[in-house]
Amino acid sequence: MARSSSSSSAITAGTIFLASAIYFYYQNKKKQSSLPPRAPGYLPVIGHLLQLMKPIPIQQLFYNWSLEIGPIYTCYFGSQRWIVLNSIETIRDLIVDRGGVYSSRKLPDTLVHDFMQGDQGGGFAFFPYGASWRRLRRIAHGGLIKSKVDEYQPILDDRRTVLLSHLCHLSKEKANYSAQGVQLSNLVEHYTMTSILAIAFGDMCNFQPGDPALHKAFALTERAANTMSPDEQMREFFPILKTLWPLKRAKYIQVRNDVAEFYGGLLDQFRANMAENSDNVPDCFVKEVMKLNELTDLQIMNFVAIFVGAGSDTTNSTLEWLLAYLANHPEVQDKAFEEIKDAVGLGRLPGSQDEPMLPYVQCIILEVLRLRPPAPIAIPHATSKDDVYKQWLIPKDTIVVLNLFATHQNAERFPNPNAFQPERHMEFVLSSQERTVFKQTIEDRPHLSFSTGRRVCVGIHLAERTLFMAASMLLASFKFENVGSPINVDIPRDIRATTWSPSAYSLRLIPRHENIESLL
Ligand code: HEM
């Protein structure tokens, strides 16, 4: 009896699934005539889902399609329709010039409501375009503008010194002088994670590697990212699944409670430090937003959780790619070292004030961001109303994806686009220094890795400073040598990840001179 009732519910479920699949198929077919062209490899019902199984990163797949059918096209994942933009022109026309229409979001409920608690929660990175997003974004922007990052500079100086000290120890390990070499990824990850936590809460977050609090921060960030796991995506692609297999919301609520416990604990400690002697608490983001008195504790905690989520993996992967490209290009390292030696000398590390005197170091960072944009398809945008672009109708609530990676592959703008050639940005760097007003068109920029338009990365100044501080110290202090054949920079560690990093690699760290430890 039990068996027959379960088989009849399976038949009912199957029928509903099929009926809804057929419905979406005909809906899509009807609309397709007015939408941008359809990407190759479409199948009824599942759309382009099978294409995602190909063993290449999604940004490469999207770029390959753009070579076949042009810079803007439509693809389908189940019932979800995505319009993908692959060129500077389409991104400028829609994301910049029509920002009022193309700056919304349409992300899974699990992320927006269960995990981030919607409007109350402060997770503005996931908010649709509108008043709530604007208010919170303004507050975040106010605490992360360039002049604020200048105020937080002592925190970054300290974090960098700690990284250098760890590298000095590592360089003395036996493995560093053997065929085995050493891996730097943990130390780089420690630098980026503690930099963001310390920018948020000040020096009370100067956790040492191995500190359980740090492990917790990493684990929570990973669990938070999993609120958008492939299972979750499937529910978005086939909404009928939400009815057939209702979600175990408890899982998401548990992540949110654990985030609240961890960041709430830090916030309590921060308040206690402020009450004891606020002058002893260094300038940092939370101190800044508390002065405004506009955010609830929940919003402050979620701001920090978002900064860690959006800022740690991205900065980390940029530094991992940077080290890989440097190890493969000793001539680039030598040129940068000579620049630093001439402009700054070897008696101290380059500081942020030295940046204008180190254009080649700047070019190296720009070239890594161009070749390996850490978030290659950004965070998906969505339209907030119907729009007509050229001959196409782009309906309200369509997901619009910016393929930043593709814009960096344009051979007219970047001849030999896959080659690591930092000097290609020299003209841009030198001319930016001459400009008194920071005004660039989207076409002038050496890369779009921080995206553009109203949703442009709000942490851009902090990210650029964190990268410059690390890169200039690394180049001034060490030579990075391959342990055998060049590091493979073509195969990322995880092709399905939303931020991509190189596969694990080892190298050798050779101190540039005898006085490095005196810089600590
Ligand atoms: C190399 C480092 C970084 C890169 C390449 C990067 C890149 C990006 C990209 C591509 C987006 C999506 C923009 C869009 O939707 O069009 C984004 C959004 C965002 N980023 Fe970053 N990011 C970096 C570091 C940071 C840091 C350090 C923080 C904070 C401290 C941060 C905070 C955010 C936030 C909050 C958003 C959402 C903005 C919104 O929806 O209004 N990012 N970032």
Side-chain angles (χ1 to χ4, degrees):
M1 188 64 192
R3 215 173 139 207
S4 85
S5 94
S6 75
S7 63
S8 79
S9 53
I11 291 169
T12 316
T15 313
I16 300 174
F17 183 78
L18 201 66
S20 68
I22 292 169
Y23 170 78
F24 283 120
Y25 172 65
Y26 281 106
Q27 285 286 96
N28 285 340
K29 206 170 166 190
K30 213 164 77 191
K31 286 205 176 117
Q32 182 58 51
S33 55
S34 55
L35 287 162
R38 196 158 62 191
Y42 174 84
L43 290 173
V45 183
I46 59 170
H48 295 89
L49 214 50
L50 273 189
Q51 300 289 319
L52 292 187
M53 308 298 158
K54 287 187 174 166
I56 52 171
I58 192 166
Q59 62 274 17
Q60 182 73 52
L61 175 74
F62 284 176
Y63 173 59
N64 295 351
W65 284 347
S66 75
L67 298 178
E68 273 185 61
I69 52 164
I72 172 168
Y73 51 76
T74 314
C75 51
Y76 295 90
F77 302 105
S79 66
Q80 215 174 63
R81 181 180 44 232
W82 291 18
I83 304 249
V84 185
L85 312 178
N86 293 273
S87 68
I88 287 277
E89 294 70 27
T90 51
I91 290 178
R92 182 202 53 215
D93 290 352
L94 301 183
I95 304 299
V96 181
D97 294 350
R98 300 183 193 186
V101 179
Y102 287 85
S103 301
S104 202
R105 304 259 195 239
K106 193 170 172 263
L107 294 163
D109 267 7
T110 41
L111 181 69
V112 181
H113 295 289
D114 297 335
F115 173 40
M116 278 286 158
Q117 301 177 64
D119 265 9
Q120 330 253 292
F124 68 97
F126 313 121
F127 281 13
Y129 188 62
S132 296
W133 168 77
R134 212 173 287 117
R135 184 178 87 85
L136 295 174
R137 164 104 193 181
R138 179 183 46 78
I139 296 171
H141 176 76
L144 291 170
I145 49 173
K146 215 165 184 194
S147 56
K148 290 290 164 209
V149 175
D150 288 341
E151 286 173 24
Y152 311 149
Q153 184 63 43
I155 294 175
L156 288 177
D157 290 340
D158 172 70
R159 292 294 84 207
R160 180 173 78 162
T161 309
V162 170
L163 174 61
L164 177 58
S165 130
H166 289 143
L167 292 172
C168 286
H169 280 113
L170 194 64
S171 71
K172 289 181 195 146
E173 279 187 13
K174 231 176 170 181
N176 191 39
Y177 292 95
S178 73
Q180 193 187 338
V182 287
Q183 291 201 357
L184 307 189
S185 55
N186 284 348
L187 295 182
V188 172
E189 199 173 52
H190 175 262
Y191 167 73
T192 52
M193 177 60 102
T194 57
S195 293
I196 295 198
L197 285 173
I199 290 289
F201 288 111
D203 50 7
M204 62 175 243
C205 283
N206 289 350
F207 305 119
Q208 284 300 315
D211 187 313
L214 198 59
H215 278 293
K216 230 179 195 166
F218 281 123
L220 274 177
T221 311
E222 203 177 318
R223 282 172 64 203
N226 285 343
T227 53
M228 279 187 82
S229 65
D231 281 7
E232 267 325 288
Q233 279 301 337
M234 276 304 160
R235 286 173 198 273
E236 299 303 307
F237 295 161
F238 300 104
I240 189 75
L241 295 177
K242 294 183 186 174
T243 321
L244 296 180
W245 288 283
L247 195 67
K248 291 197 178 70
R249 298 210 112 91
K251 186 170 103 183
Y252 299 93
I253 310 249
Q254 190 57 50
V255 187
R256 134 177 152 192
N257 291 344
D258 292 348
V259 165
E261 192 191 318
F262 178 69
Y263 288 105
L266 293 178
L267 193 57
D268 289 345
Q269 192 190 330
F270 186 84
R271 279 194 200 289
N273 295 349
M274 287 285 284
E276 201 176 300
N277 186 351
S278 61
D279 291 342
N280 276 350
V281 176
D283 288 332
C284 60
F285 182 83
V286 173
K287 193 173 183 182
E288 192 59 36
V289 293
M290 273 183 175
K291 277 190 223 154
L292 299 174
N293 214 6
E294 281 193 57
L295 295 182
T296 62
D297 278 8
L298 175 66
Q299 289 171 331
I300 296 178
M301 286 185 298
N302 280 345
F303 260 48
V304 180
I306 286 191
F307 290 176
V308 170
S312 62
D313 252 16
T314 43
T315 315
N316 186 50
S317 81
T318 311
L319 290 174
E320 287 196 37
W321 287 115
L322 178 122
L323 284 162
Y325 278 106
L326 288 178
N328 289 351
H329 292 273
E331 75 291 352
V332 171
Q333 297 186 52
D334 290 346
K335 198 168 161 184
F337 179 68
E338 289 306 316
E339 183 183 69
I340 295 170
K341 202 167 74 174
D342 290 349
V344 179
L346 301 180
R348 64 178 177 88
L349 289 174
S352 60
Q353 75 285 0
D354 300 314
E355 200 173 348
M357 295 184 307
L358 300 175
Y360 191 65
V361 174
Q362 292 184 55
C363 289
I364 294 175
I365 299 169
L366 293 176
E367 182 66 343
V368 174
L369 285 168
R370 182 191 71 82
L371 275 166
R372 293 291 176 263
I377 59 165
I379 304 174
H381 288 219
T383 45
S384 38
K385 59 177 187 178
D386 287 355
D387 187 42
V388 176
Y389 177 55
K390 299 194 171 165
Q391 68 272 40
W392 303 301
L393 170 74
I394 300 181
K396 179 175 187 281
D397 284 338
T398 299
I399 291 181
V400 178
V401 168
L402 289 66
N403 189 358
L404 307 175
F405 168 82
T407 67
H408 301 167
Q409 293 294 308
N410 183 328
E412 269 173 42
R413 296 188 64 218
F414 306 110
N416 197 1
N418 283 315
F420 179 65
Q421 293 174 347
E423 55 285 349
R424 68 168 96 228
H425 305 296
M426 191 53 90
E427 209 183 305
F428 167 83
V429 170
L430 295 177
S431 68
S432 326
Q433 287 173 5
E434 279 157 22
R435 274 176 232 152
T436 43
V437 181
F438 188 77
K439 197 159 182 274
Q440 296 159 3
T441 64
I442 180 171
E443 290 86 351
D444 286 339
R445 292 190 212 158
H447 65 79
L448 285 189
S449 286
F450 294 103
S451 191
T452 185
R454 300 180 192 197
R455 288 280 186 169
V456 68
C457 174
V458 77
I460 182 166
H461 299 299
L462 177 58
E464 286 183 337
R465 184 69 59 82
T466 313
L467 290 174
F468 175 78
M469 294 301 288
S472 59
M473 176 277 278
L474 293 167
L475 287 158
S477 315
F478 298 98
K479 224 175 172 163
F480 303 95
E481 283 184 1
N482 281 324
V483 282
S485 42
I487 294 168
N488 188 335
V489 287
D490 294 325
I491 302 179
R493 194 175 303 164
D494 173 2
I495 58 166
R496 302 275 161 252
T498 44
T499 51
W500 56 334
S501 315
S503 300
Y505 61 84
S506 300
L507 39 70
R508 269 189 220 108
L509 277 170
I510 315 295
R512 279 283 182 182
H513 54 88
E514 284 169 4
N515 295 336
I516 289 174
E517 279 176 85
S518 68
L519 304 174
L520 287 171

